[in-house]
Amino acid sequence: MTTATTSLAIHGGDPVRTTPIGQWPEFGLEEEEAILAALRSGIWGSIDGTFVDRLEVEFAELQAAKHGVATVNATMGLAVAMKSVGLGPGDEVIVPPYTFIATASAALMIGAIPTFADVDPETLLIDPDRIEAAVTPRTKAIVPVHHGGSPVDMDGVMDVARRHGLRVVEDAAQAHGAAWRGRPVGAIGDAGVFSFQSSKPLTAGEGGMMVTNDPEIDELLWSYRNVGRRRGGEWYQHVRLGWNLRMTELQAALLLAQMKRLPDQQARRTEAAAYLTERLEAIPGVVALKVPEGVTAHSWYTYHWRWLGARAGGLPKMEFARALRAEGIPCLHGYVPINRNEAVRAEIKRLGGAEPVACPAAEKADAEEILAFSMPILMATHADIDDVVRAVDKVARYRP
Ligand SMILES: Cc1ncc(COP(=O)(O)O)c(C=O)c1O
């Protein structure tokens, strides 16, 4: 039923696009000079350096936090932050199922047990009502994930936390520059963690940052990252067991230069996301994720969207993703819910935790609906985005 010109590229037709879309990371002379300055200083580790110290101050300011503690990545940053707010073996921590595995594996690495509160299918964000329903006498903390860079309803999360005496560690790995009702995320809860891994809105290839407003938590973040040392203490004075999780000066120099670009890049992505949403939603079967009304700044790390057209005879989601990739449009199929991950389930069992509950919204999102574009598409021109929309429209109209 398809003609030669409109047949899908996956069936041998002409692809909509043959060149890559968008570029990430963006860099120039500023980054070259910053890295050379760190290199020529001859001080590459942060102990005697200045770049990591500056980054901690400037990044904390960006997220309106009193303290920033740089680290090697967000996975370890989350483990350290969870430990620093008092989580330990056997404590339960409520996490969303629709996230990167590190949200749960960081808890398991310190012996804490993730339990799951399902997401809202229209936003893919953890739902405060479901968090409340998941609280047990063993629950000690909530780890909301600002998925895709969209802040979670932090009023709702903090309200549940206050009423049940729970700690909150924000997984802000994807949410640089994001804000809930005008408050930058990260230190709305007790602590928050950001990632600087290659694909993130601020990157040095790898890296992470922990933030907090609480001076006691700050001391612990610093200490666990520094092999259990004490600020101002002797080099071989280890007051607790910790790890060496320090960032290098070269990474921090690069991040300081990249940080200058962040506001403009975030504004470009915000505009591009609005442009993309308006056009995608004109295609039958395509539904954009809802952005909660309290989101006053979104980092637009990834662009997840819902394909509901399979019910009307269109391609099932995985085939849709393959067809779109064949059209020259990089298309992801979203997370596999971590409540279903075998490694996570085995470790929960080994630690004596309860079997993870089913999370129907996250599981349906994965099985049937969610497709995603990565950040470079939101850094691209309108003409590039028009190609994306043309390809989605072409695949969405196809009837097998
Ligand atoms: C939601 C979330 N949490 C944690 C992480 C872990 O970050 P990192 O790769 O810096 O360890 C990521 C990174 O992909 C993430 O997306």
Side-chain angles (χ1 to χ4, degrees), residues 5-6 22 29 51 91 105 127 160 163 241 272 337 356 373 376 379:
T5 48
T6 56
L29 212 53
F51 289 96
D91 292 336
S105 58
D127 176 343
V160 177
R163 282 187 290 106
L241 296 185
F373 298 130
M379 306 293 296

Side-chain angles (χ1 to χ4, degrees), residues 72-76 78 99-103 145-147 171-174 194-197 199-200 206-208 301 335:
V72 289
N73 56 48
T75 303
M76 291 312 299
L78 282 164
T99 180
F100 186 59
I101 191 169
T103 312
V145 177
H146 304 304
H147 173 259
D171 184 339
Q174 311 177 348
F194 295 80
S195 168
F196 302 133
Q197 173 268 340
S199 65
K200 297 299 186 299
E206 298 291 352
Y301 167 59
Y335 290 119

Side-chain angles (χ1 to χ4, degrees), residues 328-342:
I329 308 300
C331 175
L332 309 170
H333 43 77
Y335 290 119
V336 177
I338 52 173
N339 59 310
R340 291 284 169 215
N341 177 280
E342 284 308 325

Side-chain angles (χ1 to χ4, degrees), residues 76-117:
M76 291 312 299
L78 282 164
V80 166
M82 290 184 205
K83 207 164 161 61
S84 299
V85 303
L87 278 173
D91 292 336
E92 286 180 4
V93 48
I94 299 174
V95 304
Y98 202 84
T99 180
F100 186 59
I101 191 169
T103 312
S105 58
L108 290 163
M109 282 192 287
I110 61 162
I113 295 167
T115 61
F116 297 91

